Amino acid sequence: MNIFHKYIPDFSLIFSINFRKNMPELPEVETVVGFIKPEIVGKTIMSVVPQNGYDKVLATHDPAKFFTLVNSKSISDVSRRGKYIVIHLQKGFLLIHLRMTGRLLFELSQNDKPKHLTTIINFDDGTQLYFKDYRKFGRLYYFDTLDPINQKLGIEPLSPDFTDNWLIDRLEVSKRQLKPLLLDQKFIAGLGNIYVDEALWSAKLHPQQLGSTVSPAKARVLHNSIQALLRKAIENQGTTIINFYFGEGKSGNFREQLQVFNRQDKKCLRCNEKIIKIRVAQRGTHICPKCQKL
DNA sequence: GGGATTGTTTAAAC
DNA sequence: CGTTTAAACAATCC
C-alpha cells in the first residue's frame, strides 16, 4: 500500500529523549476517544489492513476473517472501557488497545516510519485511520458483544458504582498489596503504573501495604485521590500527569503535575524527603519513604 | 548484548 | 480457593 506522506512536525523524537513514559492509561484513552469519535462516527469501514505482514496485530481473528466481520459496517459510536477504545459497529464491536506505544493518526508525518505502522483502517469516504506502534504491542479485536471484555475488566473508577464504600468493602477483605491490587484490571479497570504511584503518594499509602490493613478513613482518601487524579487528567486531555501525544502531534504540558512518578532522587513535594524508586510486583515504583510508610 | 520498559495472560507455587 | 510470584510475550532503545 502506498502511503502518502504529508509533512507534519513530529515531536516524538524530542519527546522520546526527554521523557519516554508515554503509556496510555485511562485518561489518555479517554482523550483519544474524544479525538477520533467526531472524525469516524458515521463512516463505514471498507477494510482493516495489517501492515508489514504483522498479522498478529489482529488479536481475535486472522486477517481474512477479520475483514468479513468489519467490512461494510458503519460506525455508530466510539467509547472507552478500561484502556480499550471501543468502536461500535452497526453489528459488533471493533476494539483497539494501544498498550505501551500505540498511537492513532489520521495523517502520517515524514517521521512516521512505515515499519512502525501496524494497521491501516480504510473508510468509505477515502480517509484512513493509521495505527502507529513502534513496539507493536497494541492490538485490534472484534467481538459480537462486549461480554468478553466486561468479564475481564473490573469496575470503572469514574462510574457511579465506584463509591468510597465500594473501595472500603473490597479493601477490607483483600490480602493483596495495594499496588498490584490497583494495577489489576479485573479489580479496577484503567489504572496503570503511573496513576497508581501518583494515587498512593497522594493518599500517603505504601504500595506494599495489604488491603485489609487500610483503615476506612484511609480508603476513603485513596478513593478520592484516584477519582481526582483521573478527572484532572481527563480535563487536561491526559497531558497533565504524563505527556501524552495524540492526533497529529498534539500535546500539552507535562512533568509539572507529576508528584512522584519518575521523580526518584528528587525532593518529595510535601516533605522534602528524597523520593526513591523500588520494585513492587516486578514494577518500577516511586515512593516517598517518609510520607508512605508500611 | 543484557537490562529496562509496559499491560496482559498463563502457569506454577504458596 | 485465594493470593503471590514468575515468566512469557511483544519490540525497541541505550
Side-chain angles (χ1 to χ4, degrees):
Chain A
M1 181 148 304
N2 198 12
I3 299 156
F4 182 67
H5 288 260
K6 284 186 183 174
Y7 178 72
I8 295 161
D10 185 333
F11 302 102
S12 60
L13 288 175
I14 301 166
F15 172 80
S16 64
I17 292 166
N18 288 339
F19 193 65
R20 303 177 59 226
K21 303 290 182 285
N22 190 25
M23 266 49 71
E25 301 184 25
L26 187 154
E28 289 72 33
V29 176
E30 186 78 27
T31 300
V32 173
V33 167
F35 177 66
I36 67 171
K37 180 174 173 177
E39 298 292 329
I40 68 172
V41 165
K43 292 182 181 179
T44 296
I45 294 177
M46 296 305 287
S47 59
V48 173
V49 187
Q51 300 294 297
N52 303 308
Y54 197 72
D55 291 353
K56 65 177 73 171
V57 70
L58 308 179
T60 52
H61 306 82
D62 63 64
K65 178 71 176 169
F66 205 94
F67 179 81
T68 66
L69 291 168
V70 303
N71 183 35
S72 300
K73 301 270 179 66
S74 62
I75 296 170
S76 60
D77 196 11
V78 184
S79 61
R80 179 194 59 75
R81 178 75 172 98
K83 299 173 196 170
Y84 289 86
I85 298 161
V86 183
I87 300 175
H88 302 239
L89 306 177
Q90 72 190 68
K91 179 185 182 303
F93 300 88
L94 173 62
L95 275 64
I96 302 175
H97 198 303
L98 301 172
R99 284 291 186 100
M100 292 177 69
T101 55
R103 277 206 240 165
L104 295 175
L105 305 164
F106 289 109
E107 296 179 77
L108 296 173
S109 81
Q110 282 184 339
N111 291 330
D112 290 326
K113 296 176 185 163
K115 72 169 182 173
H116 292 155
L117 202 59
T118 61
T119 320
I120 298 177
I121 300 177
N122 293 297
F123 299 109
D124 57 336
D125 63 351
T127 58
Q128 290 85 27
L129 184 59
Y130 301 101
F131 190 4
K132 175 190 163 189
D133 186 8
Y134 80 93
R135 282 189 188 163
K136 301 186 180 175
F137 297 173
R139 293 290 181 268
L140 272 63
Y141 310 75
Y142 174 85
F143 294 115
D144 287 327
T145 72
L146 290 180
D147 292 347
I149 223 68
N150 285 328
Q151 281 170 11
K152 283 200 301 186
L153 298 179
I155 196 166
E156 281 289 331
L158 291 178
S159 74
D161 293 341
F162 182 63
T163 61
D164 47 3
N165 283 329
W166 183 94
L167 188 59
I168 290 168
D169 292 345
R170 294 292 292 262
L171 286 185
E172 197 173 21
V173 298
S174 175
K175 292 167 185 162
R176 303 175 67 182
Q177 297 177 348
L178 290 177
K179 172 134 184 179
L181 181 63
L182 293 176
L183 282 174
D184 187 348
Q185 301 299 298
K186 209 162 184 171
F187 184 62
I188 298 175
L191 300 181
N193 208 24
I194 296 170
Y195 287 94
V196 168
D197 277 9
E198 292 292 326
L200 289 172
W201 178 87
S202 179
K204 298 188 184 179
L205 284 164
H206 193 285
Q208 287 174 304
Q209 185 173 344
L210 301 186
S212 57
T213 69
V214 177
S215 71
K218 272 285 193 181
R220 200 167 276 123
V221 172
L222 178 61
H223 171 268
N224 188 55
S225 296
I226 291 170
Q227 288 205 325
L229 267 170
L230 294 176
R231 290 213 176 95
K232 191 171 181 185
I234 290 173
E235 268 177 36
N236 292 275
Q237 301 191 304
T239 57
T240 302
I241 305 299
I242 65 174
N243 187 23
F244 180 72
Y245 282 81
F246 62 100
E248 282 82 40
K250 290 199 173 100
S251 68
N253 305 321
F254 67 114
R255 285 194 219 179
E256 79 273 15
Q257 296 285 342
L258 269 173
Q259 305 293 305
V260 66
F261 191 86
N262 214 35
R263 290 194 72 248
Q264 60 270 24
D265 299 330
K266 293 179 180 169
K267 285 182 179 176
C268 171
L269 296 170
R270 255 189 323 236
C271 74
N272 280 336
E273 185 79 8
K274 192 190 274 189
I275 300 290
I276 59 171
K277 183 174 183 177
I278 59 176
R279 277 193 100 70
V280 178
Q282 335 301 124
R283 315 310 291 267
T285 300
H286 312 77
I287 64 166
C288 168
K290 194 171 169 189
C291 293
Q292 300 166 270
K293 287 187 170 153
L294 262 181

